[in-house]
Amino acid sequence: MFGSINLGQYIPAQSILHRLDPRSKILAGLLLIMVVFAASFPWELLPLYLVSLGLLYISRLRIIDFALAIKPFLIIIIITIIVQILFIPGKSLLEFYFINISYEGLQTAISFILRFILLLFIVRLLTATTTPIALMDGLETMLNPLKKMGLAIHELIMIMTISLRFIPLFIEEAERIRKAQLCRGADFRVGKLSHRLKNLIAWLLPLMRISLQRAEELSQAMEARAYHGGEGRTRLSTLQLTFTDYAYVLSMAALLLIVLIV
Amino acid sequence: MPFSLKNVSYTYQKGTVFAQEAIREINLTINDGEILAILGATGSGKSTLLQLLNGLLIASQGIVIYNNRNLATLSRKELVTLRQQVGMVFQYPEQQIFAERVYDEIAFGPLNLGLNEEEVDKRVRESMLQVGLDFEEYYYRQTKALSSGEKRRVALAGILALKPRYLLLDEPTAGLDFEGRRSVINCLQELNQRDNITIIFVTHHLQDLYHLCKRLLILDKGEVKLDISACELWQNYNRIKELEVELPPHLEVAYQLQQRGWHLDTKDDISIKAIARQIALNYISRQEQSCSGV
């Protein structure tokens, strides 16, 4: 049931990309996203696929992991393509009855798919090669300057880290309660709407209660270990930029520059 | 034999890097009226095995047969019937309680079966009796105000109201106090003896439940390592220790005595009472022997 939630899942492997500093990966990812938007169709966009394949090779991950990330978006992609093909006016390419497929429409549709897949790939590459904790660590360091403006960056990041950390547990719990109620004849997918809603309550209510309980326990456990927010808190491992980090970010910056100039 | 597993394997998240084989090539038959204890360390596949028995999980390999039907081929409707006949009580079942009143909580299952009000009422009363909750005293009580033992019995009644012929339980006594454990154990024993319900439970703490079971199944890393009746416990003592299963203290004492030449004829009754009786009988006959020797 929850099989499709793997967009943000970390995939462990031994690779240069996995070892990079999260900050450089975030920055490089942002640069790459800009490249995707700045690249023109098709001669700048297509070579980007070679770059992606290169990154995929370096990351030591399998292409299937990325294909799975596209799956939940398939419907959105298909609808957008159909709309673009049908409704963008221009030089006629194919015409029957009232349907008019234009050259421009087809072009926009293809460039849309190409860009969308690239964007998904970039995001997936970031989340697949970086643990959520490292990602949040990186973000916190990058957002550090905002602390001077009085923003509670540390607390914000802590909240996000905890929620990320608890998603798998939450899914597990949801699955268990669902199964338990399934054993009592409560089906959530078939039957009258009123019946299904009632069954939904049997699922969500216990889930809410368990989650609140868990939150309570966690906050007590954190306070028991003297957690009091970010002030004066030191780190076990500090992030360190290496030569590869600079090289990675600079090459992405160079790519953006090339795309912008050409 | 109502349950028969043939070469059953189950892998979680099959086909991904996170694939994890929980059950490997299990062959097993379970008979009517049995009380079967499934033992094993955490992560040995005990809970997975239970879920395979009532169709919550479908075997990745091999077949699970119930009443001559392969579970993998059942339709959605047949699965509902299966789950009614093979009731499953998850670990900490009190967590699944959602209704405000005890009555509504127990009536949830029968109502889902589409029974009329009269029948539902009858079943709620029956199942409350089965778990030892007085109907008049409890039916209008708030579920959140119950003790943990009472909550667990309410959850158990919620399953019993479906009138299952088989009961699968995951750690039925975990996290309960003495009184709660005793009431759950008594309840299970009565269900088996009076209503002839087959009971299959998973535990890694045999202490509470040893005197219930007539048959023990020990799992290790997803494989059945030992499948014995309670009277074969002694012959397999070393193997059980190897598999790191903890036996109740009185059985340890009995084993040590047997090692020292005491003959304890325990048959398949391994309750404290039976063991104590055997020890007493042995002691007397030893006394007599030494007296006649003099």
Side-chain angles (χ1 to χ4, degrees):
Chain A
M1 174 152 219
F2 298 99
S4 55
I5 306 182
N6 55 12
L7 190 62
Q9 200 163 31
Y10 173 70
I11 304 173
Q14 291 287 329
S15 81
I16 302 173
L17 275 188
H18 281 78
R19 278 192 297 271
L20 279 178
D21 189 295
R23 285 172 294 176
S24 60
K25 274 189 275 192
I26 294 169
L27 199 60
L30 286 175
L31 287 170
L32 208 53
I33 287 172
M34 284 189 240
V35 172
V36 170
F37 281 114
S40 61
F41 177 78
W43 300 121
E44 286 180 9
L45 213 46
L46 286 175
L48 283 180
Y49 274 83
L50 287 180
V51 175
S52 308
L53 280 178
L55 287 174
L56 181 69
Y57 177 74
I58 300 173
S59 73
R60 303 244 173 256
L61 297 174
R62 298 172 310 167
I63 201 148
I64 179 85
D65 299 325
F66 293 89
L68 285 175
I70 297 175
K71 222 172 119 192
F73 295 96
L74 263 183
I75 294 174
I76 303 174
I77 294 177
I78 291 170
I79 291 175
T80 323
I81 290 169
I82 292 173
V83 169
Q84 281 171 335
I85 287 182
L86 291 182
F87 298 113
I88 291 181
K91 205 163 62 186
S92 182
L93 202 65
L94 249 173
E95 210 178 332
F96 45 91
Y97 301 114
F98 56 94
I99 296 172
N100 183 10
I101 295 174
S102 68
Y103 176 74
E104 282 82 357
L106 198 64
Q107 191 183 8
T108 325
I110 293 172
S111 91
F112 165 78
I113 307 173
L114 291 179
R115 279 181 224 273
F116 197 83
I117 291 176
L118 271 179
L119 286 181
L120 279 179
F121 173 80
I122 294 164
V123 175
R124 190 71 192 96
L125 189 70
L126 182 65
T127 54
T129 58
T130 323
T131 60
I133 306 276
L135 208 57
M136 288 302 146
D137 258 5
L139 263 183
E140 191 184 343
T141 330
M142 286 169 87
L143 294 177
N144 242 341
L146 293 180
K147 275 184 192 164
K148 294 202 179 71
M149 291 165 58
L151 288 174
I153 297 297
H154 170 83
E155 283 71 17
L156 195 73
I157 296 286
M158 184 57 97
I159 291 168
M160 283 166 74
T161 314
I162 290 172
S163 12
L164 277 175
R165 169 71 187 76
F166 276 91
I167 286 173
L169 279 177
F170 182 77
I171 291 174
E172 218 171 82
E173 223 120 64
E175 192 60 19
R176 199 162 53 84
I177 298 287
R178 189 183 71 90
K179 279 179 175 172
Q181 306 297 29
L182 208 59
C183 287
R184 301 163 79 193
D187 206 316
F188 307 98
R189 274 172 279 189
V190 289
K192 272 187 289 183
L193 189 66
S194 62
H195 210 89
R196 265 191 289 171
L197 277 177
K198 200 172 161 231
N199 287 344
L200 209 58
I201 293 171
W203 185 15
L204 294 182
L205 216 67
L207 196 57
M208 288 280 284
R209 195 181 47 219
I210 295 171
S211 304
L212 289 176
Q213 228 167 39
R214 172 155 283 159
E216 178 87 30
E217 278 166 17
L218 181 72
S219 66
Q220 278 173 1
M222 285 170 78
E223 270 174 21
R225 289 190 273 169
Y227 180 78
H228 57 89
E231 213 172 309
R233 199 170 135 82
T234 53
R235 297 182 162 281
L236 183 61
S237 55
T238 43
L239 298 172
Q240 205 112 52
L241 290 170
T242 60
F243 173 73
T244 14
D245 287 301
Y246 289 112
Y248 187 54
V249 174
L250 281 178
S251 57
M252 292 306 151
L255 202 61
L256 181 62
L257 218 60
I258 294 168
V259 170
L260 284 177
I261 291 169
V262 177
Chain B
M1 48 203 124
F3 275 112
S4 142
L5 281 72
K6 287 180 184 147
N7 277 323
V8 171
S9 300
Y10 188 82
T11 310
Y12 284 101
Q13 294 189 289
K14 204 174 186 184
T16 68
V17 273
F18 302 98
Q20 211 176 6
E21 196 175 40
I23 291 283
R24 193 181 314 150
E25 291 180 8
I26 282 189
N27 288 296
L28 182 68
T29 55
I30 300 167
N31 299 311
D32 267 342
E34 262 189 321
I35 300 187
L36 171 67
I38 304 173
L39 305 165
T42 315
S44 57
K46 305 185 299 272
S47 304
T48 310
L49 182 58
L50 274 196
Q51 293 184 35
L52 283 165
L53 290 178
N54 81 338
L56 282 175
L57 298 176
I58 296 296
S60 331
Q61 260 168 42
I63 46 173
V64 181
I65 295 170
Y66 167 73
N67 273 351
N68 301 321
R69 292 293 305 275
N70 180 354
L71 292 194
T73 63
L74 296 185
S75 69
R76 187 188 287 274
K77 220 174 169 180
E78 287 169 320
L79 272 176
V80 173
T81 317
L82 170 77
R83 287 180 191 139
Q84 178 260 311
Q85 288 179 5
V86 186
M88 167 108 180
V89 183
F90 276 81
Q91 192 170 4
Y92 304 120
E94 56 273 21
Q95 286 182 349
Q96 78 195 26
I97 291 175
F98 68 96
E100 209 181 331
R101 307 279 174 199
V102 170
Y103 187 93
D104 298 320
E105 180 64 31
I106 300 175
F108 180 69
L111 283 173
N112 279 328
L113 293 181
L115 301 171
N116 62 36
E117 241 166 80
E118 215 173 301
E119 176 67 20
V120 170
D121 191 66
K122 198 175 130 220
R123 287 198 176 192
V124 172
R125 284 169 190 271
E126 268 176 24
S127 56
M128 282 180 75
L129 190 71
Q130 280 176 316
V131 297
L133 292 173
D134 182 56
F135 182 80
E136 295 303 329
E137 192 191 334
Y138 279 97
Y139 85 100
Y140 202 64
R141 289 269 292 271
Q142 294 238 343
T143 48
K144 63 174 182 229
L146 299 173
S147 76
S148 57
E150 288 166 336
K151 274 187 194 167
R152 188 155 303 181
R153 279 186 284 163
V154 167
L156 192 56
I159 300 291
L160 290 174
L162 298 166
K163 291 217 168 167
R165 294 172 53 205
Y166 304 87
L167 204 53
L168 314 173
L169 302 114
D170 197 345
E171 299 277 3
T173 55
L176 287 185
D177 57 14
F178 177 68
E179 174 51 31
R181 283 204 304 271
R182 204 173 56 180
S183 58
V184 168
I185 292 165
N186 287 343
C187 169
L188 291 180
Q189 200 151 25
E190 281 197 7
L191 285 174
N192 180 257
Q193 282 166 4
R194 193 187 49 208
D195 307 313
N196 199 28
I197 295 178
T198 309
I199 291 174
I200 302 160
F201 65 85
V202 150
T203 184
H204 51 229
H205 197 61
L206 196 55
Q207 184 84 59
D208 299 333
L209 298 153
Y210 65 88
H211 57 278
L212 274 185
C213 52
K214 300 277 179 276
R215 185 178 167 197
L216 297 155
L217 197 74
I218 300 183
L219 289 188
D220 185 39
K221 298 190 184 76
E223 287 175 83
V224 175
K225 286 285 160 72
L226 212 58
D227 182 359
I228 53 169
S229 69
C231 57
E232 293 171 306
L233 206 64
W234 312 117
Q235 291 99 293
N236 293 289
Y237 181 87
N238 288 330
R239 190 88 183 92
I240 293 171
K241 286 282 124 160
E242 263 170 45
L243 292 165
E244 291 176 351
V245 170
E246 191 189 0
L247 289 177
H250 75 279
L251 294 181
E252 295 279 356
V253 169
Y255 178 75
Q256 294 303 335
L257 286 175
Q258 293 192 55
Q259 287 300 88
R260 282 160 180 72
W262 288 53
H263 181 67
L264 303 181
D265 184 20
T266 52
K267 303 226 172 55
D268 62 349
D269 190 356
I270 50 171
S271 62
I272 293 184
K273 228 183 212 167
I275 299 277
R277 194 181 140 76
Q278 286 298 324
I279 291 176
L281 284 176
N282 253 272
Y283 182 72
I284 292 167
S285 69
R286 277 171 171 251
Q287 288 280 311
E288 279 167 0
Q289 266 170 30
S290 62
C291 285
S292 60
V294 168

